[in-house]
Amino acid sequence: MKIVVCIKQVPETNDVTIDPHTHNLDRRGLAGVMNPFDKNAVEQALQLKAATDAEVVLLTMGPDDYAQSLREGMAMGADSGVLLSDRAFAGADTLATGYVLAQAIAKIGDVDLIIFGRQAVDADTGQVGPIVAEFLHQPQITYAATLRLSGPNEVTAERLLEDTKQTLVAQLPAVVSVRSELNTPRYPTPRNIQLSFTKPLTTWHHDDLDLDDTRLGQAGSPTIVTKVYAPTPVKRALTPLTGTPQEAASQLIKALKDRQLL
Amino acid sequence: MSKPELWVVAERRLDHIEPTTQQLITKATRLAGDHFHVVTVLLEATTDHLEDELQPYGPDEIRIVRDDRFPTATDAELADALKQLIDAAHPNTVLFGATITGRSIAPRLQAKLQTGLTADCLDLRFDDETLVATKPSYGDNIMCEIICPDRRPQMATVRPNTFVAQPQADATPAITTAHITFHPVARLHVTAATPVVNTATTVGDASRVVALGRGAANEDTIASATQLAEKLGGRIGVSRPLTDQDRFTHDDQIGQSGNTIHPDLILNFGISGAVQYLVGMQDSQTIVSVNSDPNAPIFAASDYGYVGDAQAFMTALLAQFA
Amino acid sequence: MSTRNAAAEKLLLQMVDDYTTREVAPLDMAIDHAQDFPEGYLQQLTQTGFLGLMLPQEFGGAGFGPEVTATVLNHLARGNASTAVTLEGHYKTLDQILKFGTPALQQQLLPSATQRIFAFSMTEASGGSNPMGISSTATREGDHWVINGDKIMITNGGLAQVYCVLVKTAPTELSVFVVDQDMPGFSFGKREDFIGLRGTPVGEIVMDHIIVDDDHLLGKVGDGGLIGDSAHDDARILMGAVLTGIMEHELKIATDYAKERKAGQTPLTELQVTHRKVADIAMRKETTKLLYERAAQLKAAGQPYSEEAAMAKAHGSRAAVAAGDDALQILAGYGYSREYPVEHLIRDARAMEIAEGTVEKMRSAIATAEFHK
Ligand SMILES: Cc1cc2nc3c(=O)[nH]c(=O)nc-3n(C[C@H](O)[C@H](O)[C@H](O)COP(=O)(O)OP(=O)(O)OC[C@H]3O[C@@H](n4cnc5c(N)ncnc54)[C@H](O)[C@@H]3O)c2cc1C
Ligand SMILES: Cc1cc2nc3c(=O)[nH]c(=O)nc-3n(C[C@H](O)[C@H](O)[C@H](O)COP(=O)(O)OP(=O)(O)OC[C@H]3O[C@@H](n4cnc5c(N)ncnc54)[C@H](O)[C@@H]3O)c2cc1C
Ligand SMILES: Cc1cc2nc3c(=O)[nH]c(=O)nc-3n(C[C@H](O)[C@H](O)[C@H](O)COP(=O)(O)OP(=O)(O)OC[C@H]3O[C@@H](n4cnc5c(N)ncnc54)[C@H](O)[C@@H]3O)c2cc1C
C-alpha cells in the first residue's frame, strides 16, 4: 500500500502584521513550520503504516525551504519526501495548487490513499483536498474524525458534521482530509531528526511533470487578493434588556432567536 | 436582458434547512437590489418540503431538484448535480454556507468548473457584477478582500452566523423545478448517519454556558441554572469564588486561572466582571449578563444586559422556555 | 564527534519549543504545587527521546553537541525549570561516563541511557563543598570492590537507575564508581523537601556492601577529584542555560503584565521604575546566555571551559533570583501570590546558587583561575 500525505509549510505564528507602506503582509522573520493540521495527516499515515507496512510519501509544493517540513515528517517516520518547487508554481490559489499536486500524485503512481490536513492555518480554506480528489476522480472523505482500514482495499471513516455523525466506506484509491481530533501527532525524536537526513528527498521542477502551463501559478489562479488589512476589533455594543424580568426575558428570547441561537 | 443570477445553495441538516442558508438568502436579497435575480437551489427528496423553510426569507426563486438519493448523497454526487445546474443556467455567483458540508462540496465543484472560490467569508459586496469577498486569514488576525475577475460563476463559502436571517412578511418566491441526471459514485457510501446530541462534558467544550458568580450562588439559583443549562444543551461554569462550594471544582472555573472558553452563547449571572474573569470568556460569540449593579464592569463586555435580580430573571426565562 | 547540521538543529529546536509549549509549560504551576512530575510525564519525555539528546548515535542517541544540548535545556526551562534540571543531572552524568568510562563500560551502560536516567552523587551529610569530608568508601576485596556509604541531595535520587558515586579508596584518595539500583546492597533513602525545583526529586541513596568489578571504576583510582570537577563543569554550563530559560520566563511575565496593567491612568510600561526593572531583567538574561553559550562553545572546541562554566552559573543564579525579584515587584500583590508563577521561579533559581557547587566555591574557582593567569 502506498500513502501520499500532502503537507504545507506555514508561518510559525499567526501574529502577522501589515506593512504600513506597502500594505502587504509582513512575514519577515517568521519561521516556517509544518501546518499543524498536516501533522495529524502524517500521524494517521504512520499508524496505517504500522498496521500494514505501507509506504508513506510526503508531498509539498512550495519554495525550497519547504524541504524542512518534509524532513520533519520524515523524522516523524515517513519514508520519503517530494518537493515541487518552481518559479512557475508561485502565486497559486487553491485551484492551481490542487492541479500541480494532482499531476505530481499521478507521477508518483500507484497511490492508494491520499491524506490531507483539515486546512492550512494561514489561508484557512481547506479547499485543496477536495480539488485534488476531483482532478483525480477519486472519492473523498473530508473532516474524518476516525479512519481505519476495513478491508484489503477499503477504508472506513467517521465524519462529524455540525450535528450529525456519518460513517462512510470508500474503496481505494481515495482522498481523505483529517480533523485534529483524529489523533495526537507524535513528536519527532532528536535521534529521528538526525536520521531523517539520510532519507530520500526528491525535488521536481516544472519540467519533471506533465503540466498545462495555463493552469499554473498566478496565471492559472482565478482568484486575486486585492486588499489585505488588519481587522479593527469590534467593541461590543450593549443592548439593554428592560422592564420586568418577564419582559426582559422575552426580549432576550427574541434576540437569541434572531441570532439563531435558539 | 434577464438579470444575472445570484445563487444560494441550500444545505440540509438532518430533516431541516441549515440556518446559514437562511442567513445567506437574507444577505443575498440585500446585495441583489434590482441587479440580480436571487435563486435558492434546493436538492431534496421527492417527499421533502424543505422549500417551506426557505420561502419566508424571500429569494426571488426557489429552484428545486428532487431525487430520493439526495439526502444521503456524497460530496462528489452533489457537486456533479450542481455542475449540471450551473451549466444550464450560468449563474454569476454561487454562495455556500462555510459549514463542513459546504466546504466539502464547493471546492469539488470549483475544480469541475475551473473557477475561483473564496473560503469562509465574513463579508460580501458587489463591485458592479464582481463579488468582493472578505475573508479572514491567519487565525482571523488578517482580513483580505478577494475577487475572481475573469471566470464565472464566482463562488464563496460564508461563515455561519455572520449574517442575521430575516424573514420577510410579503415573501412570494417563484417555485420552479429543474432536472439533472444523478450519477452515482460507486466507490463511496454513507453507511450510517446519526444525530450527535450535545457531547460537551466540560465547560471548556460546551457551545452554551450558564455562568454563575457570587451574586447567583444560593441553592435555588443553582437549581434554576441547572435547568436552564439543560434546556439550552449547555453546561454550568462559575467564577472563582464559587469553586469554594463542594459541588464546583476548578474544572468548572472560567477565567485566567481556570478555563478559557468561547461558546456560541454565555449567560452570566451575578458576576461582577473582574479582568481575571473576563479574559476567560470575552471571545464568546454572544454574551448576556444579568447583574443587580448597573455599574458592574461585566456589562461593558456584554451584548445584552439586564440590571436586576439573577434568580428572578432566570425564573422568567425558564417559564417562557416551557 | 558529529558535525553540526543547521537544518537538523532548527527542526530540533522547533520540536523542543512545540513540546515545551504543549507538554511542559501548562504543567509548570501544577508541578511546583504537587512537588512532583505528574503521572506519565517523564515517560513521555523519555519516549520523545530527550534522554538520548547528547548521547552519541552509536549508543542509540541523537548525538547533538554541547551547544545544542545547552540550548535545548534553555528552551525547556522557559516552560519548567525542574524538567530541564532533571535532564541536566542526566546529561552531566553521561558526559563523565563518555569521558572516563572504559569502552566496555560504555557498551554495557550507555545503550540503556535513552530509557534510564543517570545521576551523579558526591554530597554527603559530612561533606558538600568539601569532597574530602565524605565518608563513603570502596575497599578492595580480592578482585573486586566493596562500596559502603550514604549519599544525599542527589538530583534525580530515587528516580535515576544508575549512579556515579564519589567514594574514598584510601583516606585521602577519591574515586568514582558506577552503581546500578539493581545491585544487591543498593537502596533509596529520603527525598528532600526542597523549596524550589520541586518537580525534580533530590534524594538519598544508601550503599550497603555493594560489590562491583574494576570495570565499574571511572577513570583510574584516585581520579575522583578530577571527575567530580569535570561533572561540575559540565553541569554548570547546562545550569547557565536553565537559568537563562528561567529569566526569559520572568521577563515574559513581567512585560506581559506591564503591558496590561495601569497605575491610575498610566500604563506600567510608561513608568521609569518599570523600565529599570525590565531592562535589568533583560540584561541579566542576556549576559547569562552569552556566558553559557561561550562556555559551551569552548567545550565543543575542545578548549578549557571550567572558569567560563563557573561564571555562567555563578552569575546566572544570582541574576535569575534578582530578576525574579524585580518581576515580582512589577506584579506586586499578584507576584506575591502562589497563583502566579514568579515566586516559584525565584525559588527554582535559588537552588542553583547551591547545587553543583555553591556560588562561594565558584567565586573562589574563578578568582584562583584569574590569579594563575
Ligand atoms: C491571505 C490569503 C487568503 C487566501 N484565500 C484564498 C481563497 O479564499 N481561495 C483560494 O483559492 N486561494 C486562497 N489563497 C491562496 C491559497 O492560500 C494557496 O492556494 C495555497 O497554496 C493553498 O491553499 P490553503 O493554504 O488554503 O490550503 P488548504 O486548502 O487549507 O489546505 C488543505 C490541505 O491541503 C494540503 N496542502 C495545501 N497546500 C499545499 C501545498 N502547497 N503543498 C502540499 N499540500 C498542500 C495540506 O494537506 C493542507 O492541510 C489565499 C492565500 C492567502 C495568503
Ligand atoms: C491571581 C488571580 C487569579 C484569578 N483568577 C480568576 C479566575 O480564573 N476566574 C475568576 O472568576 N476569578 C478569578 N480571580 C478573582 C477575580 O479577581 C474576582 O475576585 C472574581 O472573578 C469575582 O467573582 P464574582 O464576579 O463571582 O464575585 P463578585 O466580584 O463578588 O461579584 C458578584 C456580583 O454579583 C452581583 N450580584 C449580587 N447579588 C446579585 C443578585 N441577587 N442578582 C444579580 N447580581 C447580583 C454584584 O453586583 C456583583 O457584581 C482571580 C484573582 C486573582 C488575584
Ligand atoms: C537542588 C539541589 C540539587 C543537588 N544535586 C546534587 C547532586 O546531584 N549531586 C550531589 O552530589 N550533590 C547535589 N546537591 C548538593 C550540593 O552540591 C551541596 O548542597 C553543595 O555542594 C553545598 O554543600 P552543603 O550543602 O553541604 O554546604 P556546605 O558545604 O556545608 O557549605 C555551607 C556554606 O559554606 C560555604 N563554603 C563551604 N566551603 C567553602 C569554601 N571552601 N569556600 C567558600 N565557601 C565555602 C558554602 O558556600 C555555603 O555557603 C544538590 C543540592 C541542591 C540544592
Side-chain angles (χ1 to χ4, degrees):
Chain A
M1 178 166 179
K2 195 191 284 182
I3 304 174
V4 167
V5 184
C6 292
I7 62 177
K8 184 182 179 188
Q9 189 161 306
V10 297
E12 188 178 14
T13 86
N14 272 335
D15 291 336
V16 284
T17 48
I18 309 265
D19 184 313
H21 302 295
T22 63
H23 300 287
N24 284 331
L25 284 185
D26 191 353
R27 293 199 244 180
R28 272 171 306 175
L30 282 185
V33 296
M34 191 194 304
N35 179 32
F37 289 120
D38 296 351
K39 292 187 181 170
N40 299 105
V42 175
E43 177 64 34
Q44 181 59 51
L46 294 177
Q47 289 180 12
L48 292 173
K49 176 181 166 73
T52 65
D53 212 25
E55 178 191 351
V56 177
V57 181
L58 305 176
L59 176 64
T60 191
M61 182 185 97
D64 287 344
D65 74 332
Y66 276 35
Q68 183 194 311
S69 292
L70 294 176
R71 289 285 175 216
E72 183 174 0
M74 290 191 272
M76 288 172 74
D79 298 293
S80 61
V82 178
L83 171 67
L84 308 174
S85 186
D86 200 290
R87 292 200 70 84
F89 304 158
D93 72 358
T94 57
L95 190 72
T97 302
Y99 172 65
V100 177
L101 291 178
Q103 294 304 99
I105 291 166
K107 172 161 172 147
I108 291 170
D110 298 322
V111 176
D112 301 286
L113 184 61
I114 308 163
I115 309 183
F116 287 84
R118 174 200 171 117
Q119 67 204 55
V121 295
D122 51 352
D124 260 348
T125 74
Q127 291 173 185
V128 172
I131 290 171
V132 169
E134 178 61 33
F135 285 149
L136 296 173
H137 306 290
Q138 291 190 8
Q140 74 184 34
I141 301 176
T142 54
Y143 301 95
T146 66
L147 180 70
R148 63 189 173 84
L149 278 172
S150 47
N153 213 19
E154 179 191 282
V155 288
T156 298
E158 280 173 332
R159 191 175 177 233
L160 285 177
L161 308 185
E162 281 76 6
D163 51 10
T164 320
K165 187 164 88 184
Q166 275 185 341
T167 308
L168 297 104
V169 177
Q171 304 316 147
L172 301 180
V175 169
V176 175
S177 79
V178 299
R179 282 175 80 106
S180 50
E181 291 85 340
L182 183 78
N183 55 40
T184 308
R186 68 196 67 187
Y187 292 96
T189 67
R191 180 178 167 84
N192 287 341
I193 287 172
Q194 297 274 47
L195 298 181
S196 74
F197 287 84
T198 62
K199 293 184 176 180
L201 189 157
T202 317
T203 304
W204 286 342
H205 303 286
H206 176 273
D207 292 349
D208 296 311
L209 296 173
D210 179 15
L211 297 169
D212 170 354
D213 285 355
T214 64
R215 296 177 66 180
L216 301 181
Q218 205 147 16
S221 297
T223 60
I224 298 179
V225 178
T226 50
K227 188 172 158 193
V228 182
Y229 60 98
T232 38
V234 275
K235 217 177 143 316
R236 284 178 198 270
L238 179 73
T239 308
L241 306 168
T242 52
T244 64
Q246 288 71 21
E247 288 161 3
S250 69
Q251 290 159 24
L252 179 63
I253 287 176
K254 178 168 182 320
L256 296 182
K257 280 192 175 143
D258 282 350
R259 291 189 174 216
Q260 293 179 311
L261 284 163
L262 290 180
Chain B
M1 218 183 92
S2 62
K3 294 190 227 171
E5 292 189 357
L6 166 54
W7 284 18
V8 173
V9 177
E11 182 183 331
R12 86 185 280 139
R13 188 189 277 187
L14 298 175
D15 294 327
H16 290 282
I17 289 293
E18 143 69 40
T20 314
T21 304
Q22 295 148 349
Q23 297 158 10
L24 275 179
I25 297 173
T26 298
K27 180 68 182 177
T29 54
R30 296 220 173 114
L31 287 174
D34 286 336
H35 303 297
F36 291 95
H37 178 67
V38 176
V39 180
T40 302
V41 175
L42 174 64
L43 308 180
E44 66 178 0
T46 49
T47 50
D48 283 338
H49 290 286
L50 293 172
E51 58 276 19
D52 297 348
E53 297 180 27
L54 298 170
Q55 203 161 336
Y57 297 88
D60 297 314
E61 178 185 339
I62 302 175
R63 196 170 298 168
I64 304 174
V65 187
R66 291 204 168 87
D67 191 304
D68 286 335
R69 290 168 286 191
F70 282 141
T72 57
T74 60
D75 299 339
E77 290 162 338
L78 293 170
D80 177 68
L82 290 168
K83 163 86 161 73
Q84 295 177 46
L85 292 173
I86 288 168
D87 285 346
H90 301 291
N92 167 281
T93 301
V94 180
L95 304 177
F96 290 82
T99 57
I100 286 177
T101 308
R103 294 183 75 163
S104 302
I105 298 170
R108 223 170 155 135
L109 178 61
Q110 168 199 16
K112 283 181 191 291
L113 298 165
Q114 296 274 332
T115 190
L117 173 64
T118 305
D120 202 25
C121 300
L122 289 181
D123 203 4
L124 303 171
R125 67 184 158 83
F126 276 98
D127 205 350
D128 218 349
E129 286 185 12
T130 301
L131 178 72
V132 182
T134 304
K135 109 170 263 302
S137 319
Y138 299 93
D140 293 3
N141 278 325
I142 294 289
M143 293 291 155
C144 47
E145 291 188 355
I146 296 183
I147 60 170
C148 172
D150 305 323
R151 304 194 204 180
R152 293 292 176 267
Q154 45 197 343
M155 310 211 297
T157 62
V158 179
R159 190 177 289 187
N161 301 319
T162 298
F163 304 116
V164 176
Q166 255 160 18
Q168 294 173 14
D170 52 354
T172 49
I175 298 202
T176 60
T177 53
H179 299 277
I180 55 106
T181 312
F182 192 100
H183 295 123
V185 174
R187 284 158 57 208
L188 180 68
H189 296 283
V190 178
T191 57
T194 45
V196 191
V197 274
N198 171 36
T199 53
T201 51
T202 66
V203 66
D205 55 41
S207 63
R208 280 102 205 276
V209 171
V210 177
L212 304 177
R214 191 140 50 186
N218 65 45
E219 283 299 322
D220 292 348
T221 311
I222 294 171
S224 304
T226 310
Q227 281 181 39
L228 190 59
E230 248 164 51
K231 283 242 155 63
L232 292 167
R235 298 277 305 179
I236 292 197
V238 296
S239 69
R240 192 173 69 169
L242 269 69
T243 57
D244 292 342
Q245 292 200 11
D246 285 343
R247 75 179 92 209
F248 298 119
T249 71
H250 181 256
D251 291 342
D252 304 312
Q253 182 184 322
I254 297 164
Q256 176 188 298
S257 51
N259 291 285
T260 301
I261 62 172
H262 17 78
D264 296 341
L265 174 64
I266 182 167
L267 305 170
N268 297 304
F269 291 99
I271 294 176
S272 58
V275 276
Q276 292 91 354
Y277 177 79
L278 295 181
V279 295
M281 63 105 227
Q282 63 199 6
D283 289 336
S284 306
Q285 204 185 91
T286 299
I287 302 177
V288 181
S289 301
V290 179
N291 193 304
S292 50
D293 172 7
N295 296 318
I298 191 87
F299 288 127
S302 305
D303 299 296
Y304 298 95
Y306 182 63
V307 179
D309 179 56
Q311 173 69 54
F313 187 85
M314 252 187 246
T315 311
L317 202 56
L318 279 169
Q320 295 186 34
F321 268 136
Chain C
M1 187 194 268
S2 66
T3 49
R4 293 184 67 168
N5 173 347
E9 291 177 11
K10 191 170 167 200
L11 270 184
L12 176 74
L13 288 181
Q14 250 172 33
M15 182 280 278
V16 171
D17 289 345
D18 195 23
Y19 191 89
T20 304
T21 310
R22 289 149 55 117
E23 316 291 345
V24 179
L27 295 169
D28 182 48
M29 299 287 286
I31 288 169
D32 179 65
H33 290 181
Q35 196 178 358
D36 215 341
F37 296 121
E39 183 86 22
Y41 183 83
L42 291 171
Q43 284 84 329
Q44 195 195 7
L45 201 71
T46 306
Q47 271 166 21
T48 311
F50 278 103
L51 298 190
L53 178 72
M54 45 69 75
L55 189 67
Q57 292 187 10
E58 56 189 296
F59 299 117
F64 282 103
E67 293 128 303
V68 179
T69 302
T71 306
V72 166
L73 292 195
N74 175 347
H75 287 217
L76 270 173
R78 294 171 182 168
N80 177 257
S82 294
T83 308
V85 165
T86 280
L87 290 173
E88 170 270 315
H90 176 67
Y91 297 156
K92 72 149 185 230
T93 310
L94 297 189
D95 250 336
Q96 309 323 310
I97 297 175
L98 286 164
K99 284 185 196 170
F100 301 104
T102 60
L105 182 72
Q106 293 179 356
Q107 273 309 332
Q108 185 197 331
L109 285 176
L110 292 180
S112 75
T114 59
Q115 304 300 317
R116 303 200 296 172
I117 293 178
F118 286 46
F120 202 101
S121 67
M122 296 189 256
T123 308
E124 296 183 11
S126 56
S129 301
N130 171 21
M132 276 303 170
I134 64 167
S135 36
S136 294
T137 55
T139 43
R140 193 77 187 165
E141 284 187 14
D143 58 358
H144 51 255
W145 297 91
V146 175
I147 302 176
N148 281 292
D150 189 343
K151 295 274 167 195
I152 59 166
M153 291 193 204
I154 310 159
T155 299
N156 297 330
L159 178 67
Q161 302 184 37
V162 181
Y163 293 79
C164 292
V165 292
L166 183 79
V167 294
K168 282 189 168 162
T169 37
T172 58
E173 182 183 75
L174 296 170
S175 303
V176 175
F177 287 87
V178 186
V179 299
D180 199 302
Q181 67 160 9
D182 295 332
M183 291 178 171
F186 184 103
S187 61
F188 290 119
K190 140 174 185 303
R191 176 176 175 160
E192 298 298 335
D193 184 8
F194 275 167
I195 60 164
L197 295 176
R198 284 165 72 85
T200 303
V202 179
E204 176 182 12
I205 61 169
V206 180
M207 298 174 291
D208 179 13
H209 209 82
I210 296 180
I211 299 174
V212 297
D213 293 333
D214 276 331
D215 63 3
H216 278 68
L217 176 70
L218 278 195
K220 302 187 304 293
V221 169
D223 279 351
L226 173 78
I227 299 172
D229 286 348
S230 162
H232 275 324
D233 291 344
D234 292 325
R236 288 169 188 170
I237 299 178
L238 299 178
M239 281 198 168
V242 173
L243 289 159
T244 305
I246 291 178
M247 283 183 270
E248 285 164 342
H249 191 178
E250 290 166 342
L251 186 59
K252 174 148 191 355
I253 296 167
T255 50
D256 284 355
Y257 190 85
K259 283 189 230 166
E260 292 214 334
R261 185 78 173 182
K262 287 198 174 89
Q265 293 306 306
T266 319
L268 291 193
T269 47
E270 286 172 21
L271 298 179
Q272 271 194 18
V273 285
T274 315
H275 293 174
R276 191 205 58 86
K277 294 186 186 83
V278 168
D280 283 356
I281 299 172
M283 289 190 287
R284 292 184 188 109
K285 182 237 358 164
E286 206 56 32
T287 46
T288 306
K289 183 164 186 268
L290 290 168
L291 283 170
Y292 92 72
E293 286 179 348
R294 166 90 183 128
Q297 273 160 18
L298 289 169
K299 178 177 170 180
Q303 289 171 20
Y305 57 96
S306 181
E307 187 185 357
E308 289 75 9
M311 286 179 180
K313 190 178 90 88
H315 174 76
S317 54
R318 182 87 304 244
V321 171
D325 197 49
D326 276 338
L328 188 154
Q329 193 66 12
I330 291 175
L331 273 74
Y334 297 98
Y336 197 63
S337 159
R338 288 194 69 197
E339 282 195 35
Y340 278 81
V342 188
E343 59 84 28
H344 93 69
L345 296 180
I346 299 177
R347 291 187 276 111
D348 289 351
R350 190 66 180 79
M352 286 174 263
E353 294 193 74
I354 302 162
E356 302 300 353
T358 62
V359 280
E360 291 81 358
K361 287 277 287 186
M362 284 182 293
R363 286 216 159 74
S364 19
I366 295 165
T368 308
E370 293 299 329
F371 293 142
H372 280 98
K373 278 182 186 167

